[in-house]
Amino acid sequence: MSEGSEVAEVLGVDLHLELTGAGSRRAVLIRALREAVRSGRLAAGTRLPPYRSLAADLGVARNTVADAYAELVAEGWLSSRQGSGTRVAERVAVPEPEGVRRDAVRALPYDLVQGKPDPAAFPRTAWLASARRALTAAPNDAFGIGDPRGRVELRRELAAYLARVRGVRTVPDRIVVCSGAAHALRLLARVVVGRPWAVEAYGLPFHRGLLAEAGVRTVPVAVDEDGARVDEIPRGSGAVLLTPAHQFPTGGPLHPERRSAAVDWARATGGFVLEDDYDGEFRYDRRPVGALQGLDPDRVALIGSVSKSLSPTLRIGWMALPGGLVNGVVAAKGEREPYSSATEQLTLADFLGSGAYDRHVRRMRRRHRERRDRLVAVLAERVPEVRVTGIAAGLHAVVELPPGTERAALAAAERHGVAVEGLSGYQHPDAADHVRQDGREGPERRNGLVVGYATPPERLYGGALDALCNALDSALR
């Protein structure tokens, strides 16, 4: 390879172009570049490779590339400025992909959809410090094929942390790292088989959908202000999926008597309680109640993740499993770690062990409590027809609406630029027709909005609350 070619490769930016069709090399190159921009494959502002680099990659003369760039600059497809190279012009209009409606992807100004922490609140400096320490101390095998159980360093820290903060009784060998709650349910669905699962009448449709895809039939259990009616777990259920610390999304904690009853059911039937501890650390009116798992580690599997406390992009979750489920879950996961990065697992282990995670959670707990308090106060003052239900916890609250008004409230919210979800969308499709074991009909569909107060940056939160109040006022008057 010549010295000039080496320089061109070093300076280059990879760009895939198909030089096909009739015409000169210059004409074919112009056509390929124009099509790459028109299709949206080269977005506005994208910097193109220098003449020498692209010419070397394509096997054409440098002047051919220079002439093609100049032609497309003249046509308005590209722009060229001294010192910044050649870029795709900012004003080029790119059509949307077929089948995508503009209103389906339009972002509303105020995001009050539940379940999403503010991305700006991620503790970048502390996380970077942990990453540096973790990588410096990492053994060589951390960069090889991963253990499907997860890095032992993280499992040790998780066992200690969960025991200290959530009252979990486990050991590292009973912890399996996964990519989040959805991944945990997919794995458990391959192990706890043969019988239907009981689930709370209100919950994530996404979770019910993935269980259905895995062949698990779900049967709803009624929910009230004391959490799931565990005395109504259908006969023959192999597991019951609960959110004991903070029922999702209605917001009530599982009553102490019902916590004990859930464990008694599992012991008597040989079933398992699957505890989704999705936001157990975020309780604001008192210290968080310990995990249900602590009552019987052999019948309760605890599921947790950092998606609410840190960021869903980390894709790190965990299961503290009964001993009888560990081997099956590991086998279902596979022979190697295919999901969670070993380096991020090591970073989280350091983040937990150094106390940085505790400090971050305490900081976010204060922030979320203040956000929820503002929501409650503003609604009480401006829209007294509604009320915020559930305990002071988590990243969302349910705003209970008068019967028959949810659809109008959602439409008004969209008109006022507020992205928010309705409570009825979280109800199990069979819940309205469900007949309880005592012969009475199941719960009627409640009207409400599930308001996530964690996502908006501080500068937008006041505006989001104002827009929400205006929307509710217009829908209810």
Side-chain angles (χ1 to χ4, degrees):
M1 179 181 291
S2 68
E3 182 178 351
S5 297
E6 291 177 353
V7 172
E9 286 196 19
V10 171
L11 293 175
V13 176
D14 285 345
L15 175 61
H16 175 74
L17 293 172
E18 292 287 348
L19 301 186
T20 59
S24 66
R25 300 291 276 175
R26 173 181 173 279
V28 170
L29 177 56
I30 289 173
R31 189 162 57 241
L33 286 167
R34 191 185 291 126
E35 181 56 32
V37 174
R38 181 188 291 114
S39 67
R41 194 163 60 81
L42 291 180
T46 300
R47 185 170 183 169
L48 299 184
Y51 304 154
R52 287 183 298 170
S53 174
L54 187 58
D57 287 346
L58 299 178
V60 300
R62 177 182 172 184
N63 286 343
T64 300
V65 177
D67 290 346
Y69 279 9
E71 177 68 22
L72 293 172
V73 168
E75 292 179 2
W77 293 95
L78 305 179
S79 64
S80 181
R81 185 176 302 172
Q82 185 68 31
S84 64
T86 304
R87 298 177 182 270
V88 177
E90 294 289 348
R91 294 184 298 277
V92 174
V94 178
E96 293 173 354
E98 291 184 15
V100 177
R101 291 171 48 206
R102 179 171 296 277
D103 60 354
V105 297
R106 178 171 63 92
L108 296 174
Y110 301 114
D111 187 355
L112 294 179
V113 175
Q114 66 79 29
K116 300 184 293 184
D118 179 5
F122 185 82
R124 302 185 191 199
T125 301
W127 185 261
L128 179 60
S130 285
R132 286 172 173 163
R133 289 192 297 266
L135 288 175
T136 299
N140 290 335
D141 67 4
F143 303 97
I145 296 174
D147 186 332
R149 296 171 297 175
R151 290 297 307 178
V152 66
E153 297 91 341
L154 177 57
R155 291 187 283 117
R156 287 172 183 155
E157 291 295 343
L158 283 170
Y161 175 81
L162 293 172
R164 173 170 56 86
V165 174
R166 302 294 297 124
V168 170
R169 295 159 55 196
T170 191
V171 293
D173 285 347
R174 285 195 176 192
I175 292 178
V176 175
V177 176
C178 55
S179 65
H183 185 206
L185 291 177
R186 287 189 175 98
L187 293 172
L188 288 165
R190 297 173 60 184
V191 179
V192 185
V193 298
R195 293 187 285 174
W197 287 15
V199 299
E200 294 165 329
Y202 285 89
L204 275 174
F206 172 63
H207 285 173
R208 293 194 297 266
L210 70 86
L211 290 175
E213 291 176 0
V216 174
R217 184 169 71 89
T218 59
V219 183
V221 175
V223 169
D224 59 24
E225 64 274 9
D226 290 326
R229 295 286 304 264
V230 296
D231 59 315
E232 299 176 10
I233 296 174
R235 297 183 183 90
S237 299
V240 58
L241 177 60
L242 300 174
T243 50
H246 184 215
Q247 201 287 319
F248 182 85
T250 62
L254 190 62
H255 190 278
E257 291 182 1
R258 296 184 183 181
R259 290 164 65 94
S260 298
V263 172
D264 290 342
W265 168 84
R267 290 170 175 168
T269 65
F272 292 97
V273 177
L274 310 180
E275 179 179 11
D276 185 355
D277 198 42
Y278 70 101
D279 65 359
E281 296 144 319
F282 293 116
R283 181 80 184 256
Y284 313 131
D285 57 345
R286 52 168 290 176
R287 290 183 62 84
V289 176
L292 179 63
Q293 188 268 1
L295 296 180
D296 193 337
D298 289 325
R299 302 305 329 163
V300 183
L302 179 131
I303 301 168
S305 78
V306 296
S307 64
K308 303 292 188 297
S309 57
L310 284 171
S311 169
T313 62
L314 293 178
R315 309 307 303 155
I316 298 180
W318 52 82
M319 291 169 280
L321 295 167
L325 294 181
V326 173
N327 289 339
V329 168
V330 172
K333 193 175 179 185
E335 296 182 356
R336 60 181 67 187
E337 172 56 71
Y339 300 101
S340 300
S341 163
T343 56
E344 289 191 342
Q345 290 185 47
L346 291 171
T347 300
L348 179 57
D350 182 273
F351 203 69
L352 287 164
S354 67
Y357 187 73
D358 289 81
R359 292 189 291 274
H360 174 71
V361 167
R362 286 197 297 270
R363 183 167 57 252
M364 299 313 297
R365 193 181 289 144
R366 289 193 298 270
R367 174 177 174 169
H368 296 335
R369 182 181 64 242
E370 292 169 357
R371 288 284 185 95
R372 188 182 189 278
D373 289 347
R374 286 178 65 185
L375 172 68
V376 173
V378 169
L379 288 175
E381 177 184 355
R382 295 182 52 182
V383 197
E385 299 91 338
V386 306
R387 69 186 185 101
V388 176
T389 63
I391 59 174
L395 281 67
H396 77 276
V398 171
V399 178
E400 193 169 89
L401 302 174
T405 62
E406 181 180 304
R407 183 174 299 179
L410 288 172
E414 184 173 5
R415 289 196 303 271
H416 285 79
V418 180
V420 70
E421 296 173 320
L423 178 60
S424 63
Y426 289 91
Q427 190 173 28
H428 194 291
D430 297 334
D433 301 323
H434 176 53
V435 177
R436 302 184 344 182
Q437 291 181 8
D438 60 9
R440 289 183 293 164
E441 291 186 356
E444 296 181 357
R445 293 190 183 275
R446 297 165 54 183
N447 279 239
L449 298 181
V450 182
V451 179
Y453 45 76
T455 303
E458 190 60 36
R459 62 184 175 81
L460 294 179
Y461 189 56
L465 293 183
D466 186 60
L468 177 64
C469 288
N470 290 337
L472 289 172
D473 185 69
S474 66
L476 302 179
R477 298 288 183 223

